[in-house]
């Protein structure tokens, strides 16, 4: 079956703009989570959604937000982009129970100039 | 709070040599432990995971890891590496119960040389 799909794969934005990233989870998975990966900070958890409800949230400013739709697809939005938001954003999905394998997509590369 | 320490940021080895990538964790609750691999310009792929039971866990591509509760470690091993194993390896932990997020270590870059 198809894996986790993220779009777009690459994008360039200007400081102050906003961006929306999209994620389609593996069919049947109800949990979607988002991570930011940077060379300096490594992999950091942003938030996790299960059945359209945010269950967990990381330590990121309110400029970072997300949502999940009834078909489990998810979007994350970053408003008022800063240079430091340049990163690989990874979406992951799982069945949603503790200990379930979490499968990752290939990520969306965001460059802020 | 949970944390993961990967003791080596880079590990160079020769092809067909054995390798061990070290991982230590700290947590106040029972944990689940994972190793992921990331090839250049790709996402993360699960190598193996420990939930409970046998402390020796076998994964894909010939990798295995041993959970040691007393030493709070989860080291990854492979008896004979290939050039294709060159990648970044991440150890991660998640808490039991309702904690569904992964806390990652900083990663270990494994470089396999001919």
């Amino acid at each position: 079956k198809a894996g986790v799909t993220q779009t777009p794969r690459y994008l360039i934005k200007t400081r102050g703009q906003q961006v929306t990233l999209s994620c389609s989870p593996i069919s049947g998975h109800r949990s979607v989570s988002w991570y930011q990966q940077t060379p300096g900070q490594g992999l950091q958890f942003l938030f996790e959604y299960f059945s359209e409800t945010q269950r967990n949230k990381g330590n990121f400013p309110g400029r970072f937000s997300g949502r999940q739709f009834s078909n489990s697809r998810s979007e994350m939005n970053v408003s008022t982009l800063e240079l430091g938001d340049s990163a690989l954003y990874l979406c992951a999905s799982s069945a949603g129970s503790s200990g379930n394998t979490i499968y990752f997509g290939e990520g969306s590369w965001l460059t802020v100039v | 709070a949970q944390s993961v320490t990967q003791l080596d940021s880079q590990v160079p080895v020769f092809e067909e040599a054995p390798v061990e990538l070290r991982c230590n964790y700290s947590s106040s609750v029972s944990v689940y432990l994972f190793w992921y691999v990331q090839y250049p310009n790709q996402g993360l792929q699960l190598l193996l995971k420990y939930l409970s039971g046998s402390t020796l866990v076998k994964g894909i591509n010939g990798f295995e890891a041993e959970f040691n509760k007393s030493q709070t470690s989860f080291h990854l091993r492979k008896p004979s590496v290939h050039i294709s194993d060159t990648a970044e390896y991440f150890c991660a932990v998640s808490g039991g119960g309702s904690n569904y997020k992964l806390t990652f270590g900083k990663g270990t870059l494994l470089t396999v040389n001919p």
Side-chain angles (χ1 to χ4, degrees):
Chain A
K1 55 185 175 183
V4 179
T5 304
Q6 293 187 245
T7 57
R9 288 294 319 278
Y10 304 92
L11 66 166
I12 300 173
K13 291 287 188 177
T14 304
R15 253 185 320 176
Q17 287 186 315
Q18 65 105 25
V19 67
T20 299
L21 308 178
S22 181
C23 173
S24 293
I26 291 172
S27 178
H29 283 185
R30 296 166 64 189
S31 168
V32 174
S33 49
W34 290 87
Y35 292 79
Q36 181 196 64
Q37 185 176 23
T38 60
Q41 298 299 316
L43 282 152
Q44 293 184 287
F45 172 78
L46 280 155
F47 29 66
E48 186 250 355
Y49 288 86
F50 181 82
S51 293
E52 302 179 67
T53 300
Q54 188 180 85
R55 277 197 307 197
N56 287 268
K57 188 177 189 304
N59 295 321
F60 278 82
R63 300 185 297 108
F64 292 81
S65 62
R67 59 179 177 168
Q68 187 181 32
F69 302 96
S70 58
N71 61 0
S72 292
R73 193 176 66 84
S74 176
E75 291 181 345
M76 69 162 282
N77 183 277
V78 188
S79 63
T80 319
L81 284 165
E82 300 176 0
L83 296 178
D85 296 332
S86 295
L88 176 64
Y89 290 88
L90 291 163
C91 173
S93 78
S94 79
S97 296
S98 192
N100 284 154
T101 297
I102 297 175
Y103 298 89
F104 284 81
E106 295 201 336
S108 292
W109 286 95
L110 171 64
T111 301
V112 183
V113 298
Chain B
Q2 298 168 333
S3 67
V4 176
T5 302
Q6 291 185 242
L7 297 156
D8 305 294
S9 60
Q10 297 186 53
V11 173
V13 294
F14 288 108
E15 195 173 17
E16 297 183 6
V19 71
E20 178 180 81
L21 306 183
R22 298 180 294 169
C23 171
N24 286 89
Y25 69 93
S26 69
S27 176
S28 58
V29 298
S30 296
V31 296
Y32 302 132
L33 292 155
F34 307 81
W35 275 99
Y36 283 86
V37 61
Q38 186 176 36
Y39 299 102
N41 298 318
Q42 293 189 24
L44 301 172
Q45 180 183 7
L46 181 70
L47 282 175
L48 48 80
K49 65 181 181 181
Y50 172 79
L51 303 182
S52 64
S54 173
T55 57
L56 183 63
V57 181
K58 294 191 182 297
I60 62 171
N61 300 341
F63 285 94
E64 63 181 32
E66 184 149 23
F67 171 62
N68 188 318
K69 188 174 181 179
S70 63
Q71 297 188 4
T72 60
S73 68
F74 190 55
H75 301 332
L76 181 71
R77 302 186 185 100
K78 186 170 183 178
S80 175
V81 294
H82 304 290
I83 298 284
S84 59
D85 292 323
T86 295
E88 187 135 31
Y89 292 78
F90 293 94
C91 181
V93 63
S94 72
S98 60
N99 187 330
Y100 302 100
K101 74 172 192 179
L102 289 169
T103 300
F104 285 91
K106 292 290 189 184
T108 298
L109 178 61
L110 173 65
T111 303
V112 181
N113 299 300

